[in-house]
Every structure is written in C-alpha cells, then in structure tokens.
C-alpha cells in the first residue's frame, strides 16, 4: 500500500473518530459538561446542588455501565445509561427541592440536562474497551471526575456569588460593591478561562521547579561522586 | 506590505510608534474633556484622574505579573482610561469608572498579550461591563451647564437621553443646534458633536485614522437611517437624531478606528467599518440597551481576523495578476 494512502486513511480516521467517538469528541466531552459550570455556578448553593446531582447520576451510571458491559451494543448501553440517569435525576431533583426549595426553580432546565452530561455517555463507551471491565478502576475514575467537577463548581461560584450578590451560601456578607454582571454566563466563561490559565501556569511552574530540582540533585550527586573518587585516588 | 500571519491577533502597523499613535488620541480627547469641564464642572476631571489612575495601575500590575518590563512610553492605558469616562454620564460614581477601567485592562487587554495584541477594545469591554452591572447609573444623565457636586446625592436631577426617547419611538425635543454644541443630556464625551467631528478631522489629517473607516461607517449608518426612517420623523431628521444621540459618532471616531483592533488592509478596514455601521443601525433599532455601540464593537472585534484573512487572499490574487501582466509585457518586448 502506498504511504500517502496510509497517511490519508490515518488523517480521515482521526477526523471520523473525533466526530463520532464519544470519548474523543470535544463537544460531547466538554460542551455537554461546560454549560453547568458557566450557567449554574453563580452561587455556592447552586454549585452544591449541581455537584450532588452529578455525583449521584455518575455513580449510578458507572455501576450500571460495568454491569451491562459487553452484553449489549453501544447504542443500547447509551440508551440504558441515559434512561437510568433520567430516573436518578428525577429523584435527585426531588431531594434538592426538599433540601433547598428556593434554588430548584433557579437551576431550571440545567437540572434536567444533567441526565445527559458528557460522563454518562463516556461511561457507555468506556465499557466497550477490550478486556474485562472491573468496577474499582471505573469507580476510581468517577470519583476523580466528580471531585474535579465539584471543586471547579465551587471555585467558580464563590467569587460570582460574593461579587454578584454580596452573599455566601445565601448569607449576606458586606461587599464593597455589587457587580450583577458577574452572575451572567459571559463571566462564567471568563472565570473558567482564567482558572484554566492559572492551572496551566501553576503546572508549568511546578514542572520547571521539578526540572531545576532534578538538575540540582543530579549535580549534587555528581559532585559527591567526584569527591568520593578524588578521596579514593588520594 | 506582506503580512506574515494574518490569522494571529492584529498588530499596530503604522510607521509611527505606540507613543505617537496614542499621543494622537490623547490630544483630541483632552479637547473633549475641556468641553465636558465647561458643561459639568470639575467633577469631570476627578473622573478622568480616577479612571486613568485605575487603568495605569492595573496595566503596570499586569505587566509585572506577566514578567515583562514596564514601558513608560506606552500610553495605551492612559488612552483606555481617558475613553471610559467619556462614554459615561458625568454623574457616574467614581468606583464604576474605576471598575470599568480595571476590567478592560485586566480581563480584556492583558490576557491576550497586552498592548498591540489585544483582540477586543479594552475601553469598549470596560464600558460594556459597566452597562451590564449598573444599567440604571449608566443611563441616567445630569443636565448640562449644571455644576455637579463631587459626590452627587439622590436629589440631583437626572434625565434620560435622546437615544432613550428614540428607542421608545418618540421624537427628542432638542433642536439640532443645541445637540451639535453638546447642550443635551447624554454620555459626557459623546454629546459634543462638533468637537468630535473636529477631532476626527484632526486624526484623519494626522494619519492616525484612515479616512476610509469613519466615512464607510457613517455613510452606511446614514444610508440605512435614510432608507428605513423611524415613525414620526422624516429621513433627514432620523439621520441627524440617530447620529447625534448616543455614542455613534464618538465611538466611530475614537474606538472603531483603534489601530490595534482593526483589519490591516485599507479596503478591509472600509468593509469592516461599513459592517459595523450596519450592525450599529440594527442594534439601535432592536437591542435592549440605548447605548449599543460598545457591544457592536466587541462583536466586530471578533471578526477582524476574518477580514484580514480574506483581505490577504484577495491581495494575493491581485499581486499575482500584476506579476503575470508584467511578465506578459516583458515577453512582448522581447518578441
């Protein structure tokens, strides 16, 4: 086979996988999860409610996806997962309404959309991978994912609630000025952008420190080795 | 001039340096501030100082955080700080002007790489943020020729602008002479129509602004006003009222023509400005806010790379054709 044909096939397959594969399509992975952070992370209570819903839905669908792994085609598994997520969502919504009745209306359609978040679909596809599917590794992934989601929600919502409403967890805190604009979705995008930039900046710094630290250790080791050899020679 | 990578953020491409370009903007705005001082008193100068100080402080802080050297000859933060209060009522609280300036510099200018690299106009973004956060404060104006106290209280008479009257479908009861002299309520810098036109002329003659931009922008806006006049007024009245009220002229003179956030080719600039004129017209008719220019400008800023990319491709076609013609002439000469 000609090399150009192979390259063309690889390029096309990447595009195809990027569009069709649930685990690689950025719109499905990020686009279906991002709106929750952008639109609903305007107060700590909202963030807590959405995180609770996210936790419950993802744990249930993770267990379900392990149980039905390899027993049905992908589209059936996805439908089962989404169906189960919808049932769990309704139950969680009832729980949230009971716990925090004032915010369930505010969350509006997002509380329903959570049943179709990116993770639910991803878990359906994860189970298609070769080899036996074990519960623990899947649950470990879900725990990390859920924790990151909750932390992200809380970090984004804290300044937005304080600056926008002058409250924290619904309690009035003296604020110098109220900026109602920070409650709007555009500021959610800005917050997420800044957060990502901060994470990237910190990661780079840590990596740089690691490299410098590693080089320093290596130099010390070399110096010690040289000193020992000098002593032996003498 | 060949552009290395037109898809990247726009850059200043005049032969002058940043200091000269920004200096050209500062001088006309000083004239507008003089008019504002005449109409509203010394509070205007305090607003100017607050905004410029906030803007410069934020700029220096962001520059230091990003690990760059502070350039004392970079006046861009001063220009941003000067533009922001001019788009606001003279009675605006000081902290709102400061918040707008800080927002423009820290959120819109520096994350994209600072001066020469910002995709969006920082002043427009700052004013837009202030409008979103404080719509009531931003759209109630004091009457001109009333000296304002430093901290106006609730007893200060504040009225809506002619732009609001137009938005409601009414006809403003100000005559055109008063309006051209700036003797009507509105954003303190945007009401001095004659001074703004004189400043625009100065900028064009200095070469700081390409004439194609304001001409295309105002021509398209006026043509649309003429073609689709509002109810209760004829086409000429509509053109004058729509142009004089709000920030249409001021924005067209000082913000739309910002060399950093405009396309690079002359005709691309004209097309960009014409589209901005059409967008301002549509926003004036159908948007929620009476001052829509800053939102239009932010949307238009996002399209600059497209104008640059198409502009380069078309320029490439013309360049190729020119060389082909030259080659043909050479061949003909040899024969």
């Amino acid at each position: 086979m000609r090399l150009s044909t192979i390259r063309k096939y690889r390029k096309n397959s990447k595009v195809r996988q990027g569009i069709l594969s649930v685990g690689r399509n950025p719109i499905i992975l990020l686009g279906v999860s991002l709106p929750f952070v952008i639109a609903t992370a305007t107060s700590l209570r909202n963030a807590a409610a959405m995180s609770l819903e996210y936790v419950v839905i993802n744990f249930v669908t993770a267990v379900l996806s392990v149980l039905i792994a390899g027993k049905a085609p992908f589209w059936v598994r996805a439908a089962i997962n989404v169906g189960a997520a919808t049932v769990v969502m309704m139950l969680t919504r009832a729980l949230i309404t009971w716990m925090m009745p004032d915010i369930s209306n505010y969350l509006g359609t997002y509380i329903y959309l959570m049943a179709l978040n990116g993770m639910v679909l991803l878990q359906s596809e994860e189970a298609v991978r070769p080899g036996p599917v074990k519960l623990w590794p899947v649950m470990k992934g879900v725990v990390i994912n859920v924790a990151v989601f909750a932390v992200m929600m809380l970090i984004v919502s804290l300044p937005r609630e304080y600056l926008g409403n002058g409250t924290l967890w619904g309690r009035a805190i003296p604020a110098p000025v109220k900026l109602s604009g920070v409650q709007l979705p555009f500021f959610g995008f800005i917050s997420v952008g800044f957060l990502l930039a901060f994470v990237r900046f910190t990661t780079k710094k840590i990596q740089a420190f690691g490299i410098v630290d590693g080089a320093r250790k290596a130099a010390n080791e070399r110096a010690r080795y040289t000193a020992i050899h000098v002593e032996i020679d003498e | 001039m060949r552009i290395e990578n037109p898809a990247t953020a726009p850059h200043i491409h005049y032969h002058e340096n940043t200091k000269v370009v920004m200096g050209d903007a500062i001088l006309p705005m000083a004239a507008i501030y003089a008019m504002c001082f005449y109409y509203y008193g010394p509070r205007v100068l305090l607003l100017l100082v607050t905004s410029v100080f906030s803007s410069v402080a934020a700029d220096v802080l962001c520059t230091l955080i990003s690990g760059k050297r502070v350039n004392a000859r970079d006046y861009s933060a001063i220009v941003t700080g000067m533009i922001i209060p001019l788009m606001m009522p003279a009675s605006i609280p000081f902290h709102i002007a400061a918040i707008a300036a800080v927002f423009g510099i820290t959120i819109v200018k520096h994350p994209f790489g600072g001066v020469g690299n910002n995709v969006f106009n920082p002043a427009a973004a700052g004013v837009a943020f202030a409008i979103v956060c404080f719509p009531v404060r931003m759209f109630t104006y004091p009457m001109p020729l009333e000296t304002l106290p430093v901290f106006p209280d609730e007893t200060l008479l504040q009225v809506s602008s002619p732009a609001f009257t137009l938005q409601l479908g009414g006809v403003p009861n100000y005559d055109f002479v008063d309006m051209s002299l700036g003797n009507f309520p509105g954003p303190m810098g945007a009401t001095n129509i004659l001074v703004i036109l004189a400043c625009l002329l100065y900028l064009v003659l200095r070469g700081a602004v390409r004439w194609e931009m304001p001409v295309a922008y105002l021509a398209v806006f006026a043509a649309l006003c003429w073609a689709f006049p509002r109810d209760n007024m004829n086409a000429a009245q509509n053109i004058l009222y729509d142009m004089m009220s709000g920030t249409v002229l001021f924005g067209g003179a000082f913000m739309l023509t910002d060399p950093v956030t405009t396309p690079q080719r002359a005709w691309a600039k004209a097309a960009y400005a014409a589209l901005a004129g059409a967008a301002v017209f549509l926003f004036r008719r159908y948007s929620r806010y009476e001052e829509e220019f800053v939102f239009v400008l932010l949307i238009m800023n996002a399209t600059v790379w497209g104008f640059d990319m198409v502009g380069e491709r078309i320029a490439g076609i013309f360049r190729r054709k020119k060389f082909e013609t030259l080659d043909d002439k050479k061949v003909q000469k040899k024969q």
Side-chain angles (χ1 to χ4, degrees):
Chain A
M1 193 180 278
R2 292 170 73 181
L3 197 61
S4 60
T5 315
I6 295 169
R7 280 185 189 146
K8 198 174 171 185
Y9 171 78
R10 278 186 184 165
K11 193 180 169 188
N12 288 341
S13 68
K14 272 182 189 170
V15 174
R16 202 168 46 244
Q17 281 180 358
I19 295 168
L20 299 176
S21 167
V22 173
R24 291 181 188 176
N25 187 324
I27 302 298
I28 293 175
L29 266 180
L30 293 173
V32 183
S33 298
L34 200 59
F36 302 113
V37 184
I38 303 299
T40 65
T42 53
S43 73
L44 286 172
R45 283 155 64 84
N46 286 0
M50 293 307 279
S51 301
L52 174 70
E53 195 184 6
Y54 194 76
V55 168
V56 176
I57 286 175
N58 280 306
F59 272 106
V60 171
T61 49
V63 173
L64 201 63
S65 61
V66 172
L67 290 176
I68 59 173
K71 291 173 186 164
F74 168 69
W75 67 270
V76 175
R77 287 198 310 276
I80 290 171
N81 265 348
V82 172
T86 309
V87 173
V88 175
M89 178 270 295
M90 296 305 287
L91 294 173
T92 322
R93 185 183 174 279
L95 181 69
I96 291 169
T97 311
W98 176 68
M99 285 166 65
M100 297 177 258
D102 52 326
I103 65 159
S104 81
N105 280 338
Y106 179 84
L107 293 173
T109 187
Y110 291 99
I111 209 161
Y112 301 103
L113 281 175
M114 186 60 95
L116 202 68
N117 71 68
M119 274 303 290
V120 172
L121 292 174
L122 186 64
Q123 279 158 9
S124 312
E125 202 195 44
E126 284 292 313
V128 85
R129 296 202 173 162
V133 181
K134 290 180 181 172
L135 184 63
W136 172 236
V138 174
M139 294 308 273
K140 200 174 154 188
V142 171
V143 167
I144 293 168
N145 182 279
V146 160
V148 169
F149 182 84
V151 168
M152 189 87 173
M153 288 288 280
L154 292 174
I155 290 174
V156 172
S157 63
L158 193 135
R160 287 176 82 184
E161 184 178 2
Y162 180 64
L163 292 174
N165 261 349
T167 58
L168 278 178
W169 198 265
R171 288 180 187 172
I173 305 283
V177 64
K178 279 185 193 176
L179 305 170
S180 53
V182 302
Q183 297 260 312
L184 296 176
F186 86 90
F187 202 83
F189 282 106
I190 291 172
S191 308
V192 171
F194 267 81
L195 201 59
L196 292 177
F198 177 73
V199 169
R200 202 172 165 184
F201 173 78
T202 319
T203 312
K204 266 188 179 176
K205 287 284 171 197
I206 291 168
Q207 278 176 351
F209 179 76
I211 290 164
V212 172
D213 199 41
R216 196 185 295 125
K217 276 181 185 166
N220 288 342
E221 193 67 25
R222 222 170 18 247
R224 203 163 63 88
Y225 178 79
T226 316
I228 290 165
H229 277 257
V230 168
E231 274 179 21
I232 291 168
D233 289 346
E234 284 172 354
Chain B
M1 184 179 72
R2 190 174 184 281
I3 299 159
E4 287 301 326
N5 186 3
T8 56
H11 302 279
I12 293 171
H13 55 281
Y14 288 112
H15 56 278
E16 293 103 336
N17 56 25
T18 316
K19 186 184 167 186
V20 176
V21 172
M22 297 304 167
D24 278 341
I26 288 171
L27 196 63
M29 274 194 286
I32 295 179
Y33 268 103
M35 286 301 292
C36 296
F37 179 78
Y38 169 72
Y39 278 120
Y40 299 106
R43 187 176 196 278
V44 168
L45 300 181
L46 290 175
L47 266 176
L48 168 69
V49 170
T50 309
S51 178
V52 169
F53 177 76
S54 310
S55 180
V56 172
D59 194 56
V60 169
L61 200 66
C62 289
T63 309
L64 292 175
I65 288 172
S66 57
K68 295 175 190 165
R69 277 181 62 192
V70 178
N71 182 6
R73 293 182 177 184
D74 170 24
Y75 298 155
S76 59
I78 297 175
V79 172
T80 303
M82 286 182 86
I83 290 176
I84 285 171
L86 292 178
M87 305 274 286
M88 295 177 167
S91 57
I92 198 85
F94 295 109
H95 71 269
I96 296 181
I99 287 168
V102 171
F103 182 87
I105 297 291
T106 54
I107 307 284
V108 179
K109 186 181 172 188
H110 275 279
F112 292 98
V115 64
N117 296 306
N118 49 299
V119 179
F120 300 99
N121 188 310
V127 175
F129 185 66
I131 289 174
V132 168
C133 290
F134 312 98
V136 179
R137 298 267 193 185
M138 287 292 286
F139 294 140
T140 47
Y141 306 96
M143 289 300 288
L145 297 171
E146 269 184 32
T147 303
L148 296 172
V150 175
F151 297 102
D153 54 11
E154 300 299 321
T155 57
L156 178 75
L157 175 67
Q158 288 190 302
V159 293
S160 57
S161 72
F164 183 66
T165 312
L166 287 173
Q167 194 190 25
L168 291 181
V171 181
N173 57 353
Y174 299 98
D175 65 76
F176 291 119
V177 178
D178 271 351
M179 286 189 84
S180 57
L181 292 173
N183 192 13
F184 69 99
M188 66 178 189
T191 52
N192 303 298
I193 305 300
L194 286 180
V195 183
I196 293 169
L197 287 174
C199 292
L200 183 59
L201 192 65
Y202 167 81
L203 290 172
V204 170
L205 291 177
R206 276 282 297 160
V209 168
R210 294 291 297 249
W211 64 270
E212 294 94 340
M213 287 200 79
V215 168
Y217 167 71
L218 294 175
V220 168
F221 183 76
L224 287 170
C225 287
W226 176 77
F228 306 101
R230 292 176 191 269
D231 300 335
N232 309 328
M233 61 177 82
N234 60 37
Q237 271 182 325
N238 189 17
I239 291 171
L240 287 172
Y241 275 130
D242 260 322
M243 274 202 179
M244 288 179 168
S245 62
T247 50
V248 175
L249 263 182
F250 179 83
F254 288 102
M255 298 171 88
L256 185 72
T257 54
D258 171 19
V260 182
T261 54
T262 47
Q264 307 198 3
R265 299 252 166 214
W267 68 265
K269 278 179 191 288
Y272 170 81
L275 195 62
V280 169
F281 171 80
L282 288 173
F283 269 67
R284 275 190 86 90
R285 289 296 167 90
Y286 303 111
S287 79
R288 184 180 157 198
Y289 295 121
E290 61 194 76
E291 297 299 342
E292 69 307 303
F293 179 83
V294 287
F295 298 102
V296 172
L297 186 62
L298 292 174
I299 294 169
M300 289 305 297
N301 283 167
T303 67
V304 167
W305 68 272
F307 280 92
D308 274 333
M309 201 167 65
V310 174
E312 273 312 292
R313 282 189 186 168
I314 293 173
I317 292 167
F318 278 112
R319 211 160 35 225
R320 213 162 32 243
K321 277 193 176 174
K322 192 180 163 187
F323 285 128
E324 281 169 6
T325 322
L326 284 173
D327 283 348
D328 289 346
K329 280 179 184 173
K330 279 180 188 173
V331 170
Q332 280 173 1
K333 271 186 182 177
K334 279 183 182 175
Q335 283 174 351

